[in-house]
Amino acid sequence: MDAATFVKHIQNLLEDARNPEQAEGMQAYMKNHFVFLGIKTPERKLLITDPLRSLDPSEALHTAQLLWYFPEREFQYVGLDVLEKHHKALKPTDLPALRQLIESRSWWDTVDALATKCVGLLVLRHPELRQEMDLWIEDENMWVRRTALLHQLKHRRKTDSERLFEYCLKQANGPDFFIRKAMGWALREYAKTRPEEVQRFVEQHQAHLSGLTVREALKHFD
């Protein structure tokens, strides 16, 4: 199935499943930044199971780009489902297109998924893209910087700890809540693999890190 056919089919499925009562609560949870159809995650995933199996993997990125144009947030979630399933089809040359998705209709719900399930896995397969992350951590767009901080979240023992710590120090004095939270989350996740390393880093640089970052980073320590 090509991208256009898939998107049209998904549009019909989601609109038929619209639930205005649920939509109100979902919109409130997301601070009314987006409109919703009112389809919760388990139902959405069930609806798209068969079409997703039929989609040509090479069409995944284009499919997500088309779904990003819809006003209702569930369409972006389907785009993320598509990219997650077919992330191995992504190529280094797709990184600019992924960045466009990060910068469009931006909020933590889409950005974090793109950072960890798309960009991060792409960088893991193509380490030369780390140099691009070095640019992203300095970017004026907060969501691009958050992506750079979070892209190694699933790397575990393959985490480039020097880069992770360097990125945290580069952003340590920033005022943005979402950046401070991301630093703490990235450090906390890496602490599951290298607890002593994270604890040592936090202790050495605690004076420069926000209280939020420190609390998040050390949340699972006694």
Side-chain angles (χ1 to χ4, degrees):
M1 188 185 301
D2 65 17
T5 304
F6 177 88
V7 170
K8 183 61 179 176
H9 187 41
I10 291 299
Q11 183 180 10
N12 292 334
L13 287 174
L14 295 190
E15 289 182 349
D16 285 346
R18 183 190 297 267
N19 186 325
E21 291 184 4
Q22 287 187 166
E24 289 184 11
M26 295 169 76
Q27 286 167 195
Y29 178 71
M30 294 301 293
K31 309 296 185 184
N32 292 309
H33 284 288
F34 308 100
V35 295
F36 281 79
L37 292 167
I39 305 169
K40 294 187 176 180
T41 298
E43 183 182 1
R44 183 189 79 245
K45 288 187 176 294
L46 186 61
L47 285 171
I48 71 170
T49 295
D50 288 338
L52 194 51
R53 291 194 186 111
S54 302
L55 179 66
D56 182 347
S58 68
E59 295 274 289
L61 181 56
H62 182 44
T63 300
Q65 290 171 319
L66 293 177
L67 290 164
W68 236 251
Y69 286 105
F70 287 84
E72 295 89 357
R73 198 58 164 170
E74 285 90 344
F75 287 100
Q76 283 87 68
Y77 294 160
V78 174
L80 295 172
D81 293 333
V82 168
L83 290 173
E84 181 180 3
K85 181 173 178 60
H86 297 302
H87 69 89
K88 291 183 180 178
L90 295 171
K91 307 178 295 296
T93 52
D94 293 328
L95 190 60
L98 291 173
R99 174 176 173 142
Q100 289 181 339
L101 296 181
I102 290 165
E103 294 182 305
S104 176
R105 306 180 63 77
S106 307
W107 201 244
W108 62 264
D109 55 339
T110 54
V111 171
D112 292 0
L114 289 166
T116 60
K117 299 176 182 179
C118 299
V119 174
L121 297 179
L122 187 60
V123 173
L124 194 58
R125 292 197 302 274
H126 301 278
E128 68 274 12
L129 294 178
R130 290 173 177 172
Q131 295 180 4
E132 191 65 25
M133 295 299 100
D134 293 345
L135 298 176
W136 284 25
I137 195 60
E138 306 271 15
D139 199 85
E140 63 180 14
N141 186 296
M142 179 189 71
W143 298 110
V144 173
R145 298 199 304 276
R146 182 173 168 103
T147 298
L149 284 165
L150 295 178
H151 83 277
Q152 296 195 83
L153 207 68
K154 296 181 179 294
H155 290 193
R156 298 184 176 88
R157 294 187 179 276
K158 294 182 179 180
T159 297
D160 183 338
S161 60
E162 184 177 342
R163 265 191 169 83
L164 171 61
F165 296 150
E166 179 187 349
Y167 287 5
C168 288
L169 291 177
K170 282 180 180 293
Q171 295 299 312
N173 296 321
D176 297 304
F177 167 84
F178 286 109
I179 295 297
R180 294 179 173 187
K181 186 84 169 180
M183 285 191 288
W185 184 16
L187 291 169
R188 184 176 78 242
E189 194 65 22
Y190 185 49
K192 296 176 182 177
T193 302
R194 295 279 191 267
E196 298 87 357
E197 203 173 334
V198 171
Q199 191 167 25
R200 184 166 57 249
F201 171 78
V202 172
E203 288 175 353
Q204 289 175 350
H205 301 284
Q206 188 164 351
H208 303 290
L209 300 171
S210 73
L212 172 62
T213 297
V214 172
R215 288 193 300 275
E216 288 292 322
L218 302 181
K219 185 172 286 187
H220 299 310
F221 286 86
D222 291 334

